[in-house]
Structures are given as structure tokens and as C-alpha cells.
Amino acid sequence: MTSPDSPVRTRHDTRPASASAPAGRKRADDRKRADSRKRADGRAARPSWVLIVPACVAAALAVLPLGYLAVRALERGPAFAWDVIAGDRTGQLLLRSLGLTATVVAACLLLGVSLAWLTTRTALPGARAWSVLATLPLAVPSYVTAFAWLSAAPSLAGFTGSALALTLASFPYVYLPVAAALRGTDPGHEEVARSLGRGPLRTFLSVTLPQLRPAAAGGGLLVALYVLSDFGAVSLMRYDTFTRGIYTSYRASFDRTPAAALSAVLVLMTVALVAAETRTRGRAGYARTGTGTARRAVPAALGRLRLPALAWCGAVVAAGVGFPLATLGYWLAVGSSATWDPSTLTGTALTTLGVAAGGAALTTLLALPVGVIAARHRGRLARLLEQAAYAGHAVPGITVALALVFFAVRYARPVYQETPLLICAYAVLFLPVAVAAVRAAVLQAPPVLDDVARSLGRTPFGVLREVTVPLAAPGVAAGAALTFVVCMKELPATLLLRPTGMDTLATRLWTETGSGSFAAAAPYAAVLVLLAAVPSYLLGRHRT
């Protein structure tokens, strides 16, 4: 028998308690502690099948265009696809698209940053009104801006007109995040710099501007993605970019492989832009770490720059909003019943509202389980479903349309060139918009209420129906309204997927402008802007 002071007995008694426990019990305890931490963070570990199944359907629909590109581009072999990609035509489209993107992004950064600084950090007369006017171009589609400038000055057709229209339509994507960053930035650093003898311009360049870099870079990325995927403005201005080249290739031949190869290049360009922006941003952060609350910045006096600043703001707003509206008014006055039919206009408007409402409803329905999973659950599956839903950000509308045409012809012939297929295209394109809104709304609802409902015997579907969705309803409704607006303005996918004989306001405007009938196009443009402005205004009131 081993003595009490033997080495073996001593080692046995001095081992940690965790080492003597069975390995299975230790793993179970670790899982319980991990689940407790996740519940304390408001995010459960495993989503219910009630959420997983519809979320997988939404993710599959979102990644369908990427699968189409992989199949279609390689259908005739890698050598043929490479010949298309390496051709002179592709090189020209690449240079044109990149040149236009770089020009528009630089111009939007100049407009957005300058207007944000003037309206938030200076004593600009009417700063609040100017800040509202600076966001109004979001309600004017880029092709409406292009129509206004092209009808007034046909010589702008080409690169100049495309850059002008896209800049005026997209600079709010830079203005909004930069203005928000300026409002949230503590002005103490700038005051210290001025106290050390630096002038206003040097302080802005050396202190303020570096703090705005993440917001400006994010806004610039949105502008770049918008320009790369735009079809309406470049088509009206007759400037060949990738989107117009894809559409021309699709219409000119029964062979869809060249169009798919060009679409694959466009998707790769989009992914490269996102990766480059993420890499340049890195881990940079400009958060305030001191104690206390940040003070509001004292508006800087403009002095002699007051009139030039007002002239600058007035010129930007006049070019982005005033001139398009004045041009539409002119063509409406010139036109008559001989150039447009009120009954046709009414029918087209009702059709637009119908398909946009259907697209918003389907998109919100698909986004709901994905957004709830992203807000309430952790794990690889949750991340995968959310990332798949955001695949629409990397796929232009014309590519989504080509993918759905391919799918419908081969596997769902009855829906080819029918309204349900068009509504599905809207869901693929704008699912990220709705998912972001649902996720933000669910995050604002206390997760403990879900736990209470489950403890009272509610099923996962009951919790979703009676607790989660009602609490998140205002934010979900706002996301649905935003989705409705962007569906109403969508052009390239609608051109390819609309049923025969059906027109929306966007396609009718594109058709009339393409034939030079500006007076006939003006009513459709005016009604489109009016319909888009109403929910945009309501969204602005909701967010303020």
C-alpha cells in the first residue's frame, strides 16, 4: 500500500481541480460559460430553424448572380473567356470606367467635404437650410440629372456630361457621413492647433481633415460603387463604360458568354475597390478617449469668405437640384397633349408604384430573418448568411438581370419576362439596404424581452411574431420605404426583365430621351422625382 507521503500520492492530491474533472464535463462547462457570455451580450449562439430556412433562401437568391457568372463566363471554356477579357474592347471599357470613377469620386470629395465643413463648422447664414438642400439630389435619379443637362446642352454628351451628372447625383454620399463625423468630433484639437499659431486653412488640413478620413473614404467608396454600376446616366450621355458595354453585348448577340465575361470583370473591379478601401482604412480610429462629454464646436466666422461661401453652396444646389427641376418645368411647358398622353402617364406611374411596392415587400420579407440572425446570433453561420445577403453590393443591376434571364430560361420558363422575375431582381439588388435597416432596428430592441417570451412558453416563431418584429417595426418600415424608393428608380434590370408591353417611369424616360423626345420624356421624369421625393422627405423626418 502506498504511504501517505509517497510521491505518487502527493502528485495526485496537488493537481488542479479542473484537471481531475472529466474532459467531457470540462467542455460542457466551457460551453455553458460561452453561452452565458453570449446571452449577456444579447446574442444567442444558435438561431432557430424558423429563421435559418428563410434566411438560407434569401442568401441563395442573393448569390445566384455570382453563380451565373461562374457558369456562363466559362461555358465555352476558359480560353474563350480570356480572349474576351484580354481584348482591346475590354481594355477600353476598363480605362473609361476607371477614369470616370476617379473623376467623379474626386469631385464628390471636394463638394461633399467642403459643404459639410461650411454647414457644420462655420457661421454660414442659413446653415440648416443648406444642409437640407445638400441632400435633395438623392431624390433625383442620375439619369434624370443627365436628361436635364443633355436636353439643355447636347454638346455635353460623352465623358463631360456623364461626370457632371454622376457627380451632382452622388456627392450627398460623401456629404452625409462627413457632416455626421464633423458633428461628433470634439473641436478641442482644432482649438489647440489655432492657439499654437496655425491659421484656419492649415488647421483644417493638418487636424480636421485627418479625422474625417474614415468617413470621407467610406463615402468615396459608395460613390465609386455607384458610378461603376450606373447605367442610366452613361447611356443617355452615350458614353461607353462596362455597364453600357454589357448591355450592348447582350442585345447584339444570342451568345451571352461575352456579356458574362465583361460582367465578371466588373464584379472583380467592385471587389477590388472594397478591398482597397478596407486596406487603406486599416485599424485607424479617431474616437475621443478623454473624460467628460464633447463640446459643440464654436462656428468659425467666415469674414470675407462669407459671400464666396454662399455663392459656392448656391451654385452646387442650383446645379444639382434647381437646374434639373427648372429644365423639367421648361419641357413640361413646351410639351402638349400631342407629345404625351395623361392616361398613359397615369398608367405608367401606377405600374411603377405597383412593381416598386412588390419589390419592397419581397425584399423586406427576405431581409427580416437575415437581419434578426445578424443582430441576435453569433457564429459562422450567422456571418455567412449576412455576408451572402450583401452580395448584391458587388453585382450591378444589369448583371443581376442577365443571371435571372439565364435561370428563368433554363429552370423557370413560365416566369420569363414576367413581373415576379422583375420583383426578384429588385430583391437581389436591394437586399443589403433592407438587411441593414432590419439589423439596426432589432439591435435597438432589448434582447431580454425575447428571453422572457421564451421562458413563458412561446415558440421561436411566436417570439418573432409577438415580440421581435413589433419592437423593430418602425425601423423595418423605414427600411422598406427606402427600398421602395430605390426600386422605383432602378433602370437596367427593369429594361431587361420587364414584361413585354410594360413600362415604368424610368424605362419610359429612357426610351423617350434616347429618341430625342425631351418634351415627351419630361412628364415621366417629373412624376418620378415627385414620387421619390415624398418617401425621401418622410424618411428624413423620421431620422431627425
Side-chain angles (χ1 to χ4, degrees):
M1 180 178 294
T2 306
S3 61
D5 56 350
S6 66
V8 176
R9 180 64 177 267
T10 301
R11 287 195 297 269
H12 177 76
D13 287 344
T14 57
R15 283 187 301 173
S18 61
S20 62
R25 184 186 303 172
K26 183 175 183 298
R27 287 194 297 269
D29 292 341
D30 291 341
R31 284 196 299 268
K32 290 180 180 179
R33 284 192 292 270
D35 290 342
S36 298
R37 287 194 297 269
K38 291 171 182 176
R39 283 194 297 268
D41 191 35
R43 295 162 72 104
R46 296 184 182 89
S48 165
W49 288 105
V50 174
L51 294 173
I52 291 178
V53 172
C56 288
V57 173
L61 182 63
V63 300
L64 178 63
L66 298 179
Y68 158 77
L69 289 180
V71 172
R72 191 59 140 170
L74 300 176
E75 191 173 36
R76 298 181 59 183
F80 182 83
W82 176 252
D83 289 340
V84 174
I85 294 173
D88 295 337
R89 173 67 170 166
T90 305
Q92 292 175 359
L93 294 176
L94 179 64
L95 292 177
R96 283 169 168 259
S97 298
L98 291 179
L100 180 64
T101 301
T103 302
V104 173
V105 168
C108 287
L109 288 173
L110 174 62
L111 296 180
V113 174
S114 62
L115 289 177
W117 183 73
L118 287 172
T119 56
T120 59
R121 287 298 178 90
T122 70
L124 181 72
R128 180 171 297 180
W130 288 117
S131 64
V132 173
L133 292 173
T135 63
L136 286 183
L138 290 177
V140 184
S142 62
Y143 48 83
V144 172
T145 305
F147 157 76
W149 286 93
L150 183 64
S151 62
S155 60
L156 286 176
F159 176 83
T160 303
S162 300
L164 177 64
L166 289 170
T167 297
L168 295 175
S170 55
F171 78 84
Y173 291 118
V174 175
Y175 168 80
L176 289 172
V178 171
L182 281 171
R183 293 189 189 99
T185 302
D186 194 331
H189 300 291
E190 302 168 37
E191 294 172 357
V192 170
R194 286 197 293 270
S195 70
L196 295 176
R198 296 188 179 184
L201 180 60
R202 190 178 177 191
T203 299
F204 175 78
L205 294 176
S206 61
V207 179
T208 309
L209 195 58
Q211 297 183 78
L212 301 179
R213 185 168 67 89
L221 175 63
L222 290 177
V223 172
L225 296 178
Y226 184 86
V227 174
L228 283 178
S229 62
D230 180 79
F231 172 77
V234 294
S235 294
L236 293 180
M237 289 292 179
R238 299 174 182 83
Y239 185 72
D240 284 338
T241 60
F242 263 104
T243 51
R244 192 164 187 250
I246 293 168
Y247 181 80
T248 303
S249 176
Y250 172 80
R251 288 296 192 186
S253 173
F254 287 104
D255 186 3
R256 309 302 187 213
T257 303
L262 292 176
S263 299
V265 175
L266 185 56
V267 170
L268 291 177
M269 290 171 59
T270 303
V271 173
L273 273 176
V274 175
E277 190 275 337
T278 303
R279 186 177 181 83
T280 56
R281 175 168 22 105
R283 297 179 179 271
Y286 300 95
R288 185 175 180 273
T289 58
T291 58
T293 58
R295 295 178 290 103
R296 293 180 65 87
V298 178
L302 291 172
R304 298 177 182 177
L305 297 177
R306 183 178 181 180
L307 289 180
L310 286 172
W312 173 250
C313 294
V316 175
V317 171
V321 180
F323 183 79
L325 294 181
T327 303
L328 292 179
Y330 167 79
W331 287 112
L332 286 173
V334 170
S336 63
S337 59
T339 57
W340 58 280
D341 182 10
S343 61
T344 303
L345 176 63
T346 302
T348 305
L350 292 176
T351 300
T352 303
L353 292 174
V355 294
L362 178 62
T363 306
T364 304
L365 187 63
L366 292 174
L368 190 61
V370 180
V372 173
I373 288 176
R376 289 286 192 258
H377 302 277
R378 290 187 184 274
R380 186 177 302 175
L381 177 61
R383 291 194 301 271
L384 181 63
L385 290 173
E386 186 179 12
Q387 292 169 359
Y390 278 85
H393 267 316
V395 185
I398 193 167
T399 303
V400 170
L402 291 174
L404 292 180
V405 167
F406 174 81
F407 176 80
V409 169
R410 294 204 173 190
Y411 307 108
R413 189 76 183 189
V415 301
Y416 176 64
Q417 284 196 325
E418 297 294 337
T419 302
L421 194 64
L422 177 60
I423 292 176
C424 287
Y426 291 157
V428 174
L429 286 169
F430 307 121
L431 187 61
V433 176
V435 167
V438 171
R439 182 179 182 274
V442 173
L443 283 174
Q444 292 177 350
V448 66
L449 298 180
D450 294 356
D451 297 334
V452 171
R454 284 194 293 269
S455 70
L456 294 175
R458 293 293 189 274
T459 63
F461 181 73
V463 173
L464 182 68
R465 183 189 60 194
E466 300 177 18
V467 180
T468 308
V469 172
L471 289 174
V476 174
L482 181 58
T483 306
F484 174 78
V485 172
V486 293
C487 288
M488 201 162 40
K489 299 189 296 182
E490 204 284 329
L491 178 60
T494 309
L495 281 173
L496 293 181
L497 297 177
R498 57 181 171 156
T500 303
M502 190 193 87
D503 272 316
T504 65
L505 293 170
T507 60
R508 190 74 180 184
L509 168 64
W510 187 82
T511 302
E512 298 291 353
T513 306
S515 61
S517 304
F518 298 124
Y524 299 99
V527 173
L528 180 60
V529 172
L530 178 63
L531 294 178
V534 173
S536 298
Y537 171 73
L538 295 177
L539 280 172
R541 289 190 60 186
H542 169 76
R543 295 186 177 187
T544 55

